[in-house]
Amino acid sequence: MKRLLLAADAFLFAAAFSITGSVALIVINQLTGALDQDTTEATLGALAIQGGSLLLSLLAVGGGAVLAWRLHGRQLTSPVAVFMVFGILIGTPVAFGLFGGLAVLMSLIPLGDGPPWIAIGVLAAAVMALLAMPMVDAVRDARGPKAHARLDMLRWIALAVIIAIGVVALPLVGAIQGSEMGEAGIFMVPFSLAGAMAVLGGDLYCSWIDKRETKAVGTA
């Protein structure tokens, strides 16, 4: 249970970081108009924005994973960091593979010209399930001795950021502009899953070390 809660917190924080970074890049794009011009400079600007988006997303993954790890009282050693990176390297393609597989599956279902509501519903259900775990724990902790008040506070802040940007601001702006900006928040999901995979990688390493040390003590 602790491992799942750690992964859910990493997902939560990575999602908040990722969606905030996405908004920053959208604002930069709107201000510069880099994607609306057909020039060499505009093409380079578009590539720079896309590269920046990928970099920010990876930083969000790592930042969310490290923040969750430290808030859970774990020590961030070099081997743990290495296994977190392994988790990201494995988790990112797996998450995008699942994301792409869902998109392909939905393309086989005739939905007309409207939004892919089934796919959006599946993603929303998965996201809510992952976000529910840390928030339920925060509510329980608020009624008890408040063992991890700072963690709970940051959980609420991260959730507020996700709701304010992903649920309210982006869909509203997208509806006003008649653009697909409202769907931008969906792309935080695979990167957030990679954040969860990162802490799972670190936790599996720690579990392996604990078992090895326990076995060594038992045979001594």
Side-chain angles (χ1 to χ4, degrees):
M1 182 62 182
K2 289 183 178 180
R3 179 177 293 171
L4 290 177
L5 188 58
L6 173 63
D9 275 324
F11 179 91
L12 171 65
F13 295 134
F17 288 150
S18 178
I19 202 167
T20 302
S22 297
V23 168
L25 287 172
I26 289 173
V27 171
I28 292 173
N29 175 47
Q30 293 290 328
L31 292 176
T32 60
L35 301 181
D36 298 328
Q37 304 173 19
D38 189 16
T39 63
T40 301
E41 292 79 5
T43 301
L44 293 175
L47 291 175
I49 289 175
Q50 292 174 2
S53 176
L54 178 60
L55 178 60
L56 277 178
S57 296
L58 292 176
L59 289 175
V61 170
V66 170
L67 181 60
W69 187 267
R70 293 295 295 127
L71 288 172
H72 277 255
R74 306 291 190 91
Q75 293 297 319
L76 185 62
T77 62
S78 296
V80 167
V82 170
F83 274 80
M84 279 188 172
V85 172
F86 285 153
I88 293 174
L89 293 177
I90 296 172
T92 301
V94 169
F96 272 94
L98 294 173
F99 194 73
L102 180 61
V104 171
L105 180 62
M106 290 302 101
S107 68
L108 301 177
I109 302 175
L111 298 173
D113 296 328
W117 293 115
I118 297 178
I120 293 174
V122 171
L123 283 175
V127 170
M128 286 189 291
L130 286 169
L131 296 182
M133 293 182 63
M135 304 322 300
V136 169
D137 186 68
V139 171
R140 289 175 178 172
D141 189 55
R143 296 178 178 178
K146 297 184 179 180
H148 36 74
R150 184 170 61 171
L151 171 59
D152 294 334
M153 179 185 67
L154 291 176
R155 282 168 168 170
W156 288 112
I157 292 174
L159 181 65
V161 168
I162 293 171
I163 293 175
I165 297 177
V167 180
V168 179
L170 288 179
L172 181 61
V173 173
I176 293 174
Q177 295 183 347
S179 66
E180 297 180 353
M181 189 180 297
E183 301 176 9
I186 296 175
F187 293 96
M188 75 174 185
V189 177
F191 284 109
S192 304
L193 285 174
M197 291 291 290
V199 295
L200 288 178
D203 188 67
L204 288 173
Y205 166 77
C206 292
S207 297
W208 175 69
I209 290 296
D210 290 341
K211 290 180 180 179
R212 191 178 68 172
E213 291 178 350
T214 301
K215 184 177 180 180
V217 171
T219 56

